[in-house]
Amino acid sequence: MLTAGVDLAPTDERTALVTVAWSRGRAALREVTIGVSDARIVAAVRQSDKTGFNCALGWPEPFAALVNAHRVGHTASLPSKENGANWRRVMMYRATDEAVRATVQGVVPASVAADRQGHAALRCAALQAMLARSGQDVDRSGTGTIVETHPAASLHRWGVTRRYKGRHAGLAAALHDATARWLDLGSFAPLVITNRDAFDALVAALTARATALGLTLRPDPDQLPLAKVEGWIAVPSTGLDALP
């Protein structure tokens, strides 16, 4: 199996791509690239069995409906004095964001509707269209060739750390220690350890492997319709040693 991970930024310069080749009981990094174009990402997805994107695959459905209604001047859903905060939360967070918040203690995904994540999400929407035109299954719930990932959620579920921001060097060392028996970083080790974007792309590639093996939490039947529209973050359901 070959999995890929993409830490998607609004620009090529901050976008990282990692590919991991898997064999019986072993895995090895095949590529780590910083500064990745849309064309290279599409090619990597087509060459891989599963690709994890560290980027939101869609927007909250209530937010999309609000924007559409506001455009034509008929906004039916309005906040009241009593429910203003809850109303905004419904608009800002997807079903999968709330599921991660409930499942992974201390991890709160950023809002794609009200945060800088939106810039990368716009690029991701264009990439999904490119992939669909090339014949790829881009089901946003994660059953196709791509899946949405969240590094902090994956690392937490794997027991690597409980605190993510601001501790890149320590996280990279902890992940290396946890996977040393079976993951060969090869000559890419210094880049993964020193570059946050490359590290996040590696976590996305490992999460893609977990998804391909059925080792992530799936949306339940009630959540699935929204997951196919908004996207669904793959949260690992087992430890790292189940991956190889």
Side-chain angles (χ1 to χ4, degrees), residues 124-150:
C124 191
L127 278 166
Q128 290 174 62
M130 294 170 65
L131 289 166
R133 286 197 297 268
S134 70
Q136 299 299 301
D137 180 0
V138 290
D139 187 313
R140 294 174 201 150
S141 72
T143 60
T145 56
I146 67 172
V147 64
E148 183 176 339
T149 68
H150 192 288

Side-chain angles (χ1 to χ4, degrees), residues 18 29 32 34 166-177 179-180 183-203:
V18 167
L29 266 64
V32 179
I34 308 297
R167 300 182 60 222
H168 168 65
L171 286 175
L175 182 63
H176 182 263
D177 290 345
T179 60
L183 178 60
D184 180 11
L185 300 180
S187 62
F188 301 115
L191 183 56
V192 170
I193 291 172
T194 60
N195 186 283
R196 177 66 168 270
D197 303 323
F199 176 75
D200 284 349
L202 172 59
V203 176

Side-chain angles (χ1 to χ4, degrees), residues 48-114:
S48 303
D49 295 285
K50 197 83 171 183
T51 300
F53 275 80
N54 180 27
C55 178
L57 297 184
W59 284 266
E61 187 66 0
F63 172 76
L66 172 68
V67 171
N68 188 60
H70 179 72
R71 183 180 66 83
V72 297
H74 299 292
T75 304
S77 177
L78 296 172
S80 67
K81 185 176 181 180
E82 294 76 22
N83 75 351
N86 288 335
W87 182 84
R88 288 190 295 273
R89 177 167 174 168
V90 169
M91 295 298 147
M92 290 190 299
Y93 293 102
R94 302 172 296 162
T96 188
D97 300 327
E98 298 291 8
V100 169
R101 188 197 300 259
T103 304
V104 189
Q105 184 178 3
V107 176
V108 181
S111 168
V112 68

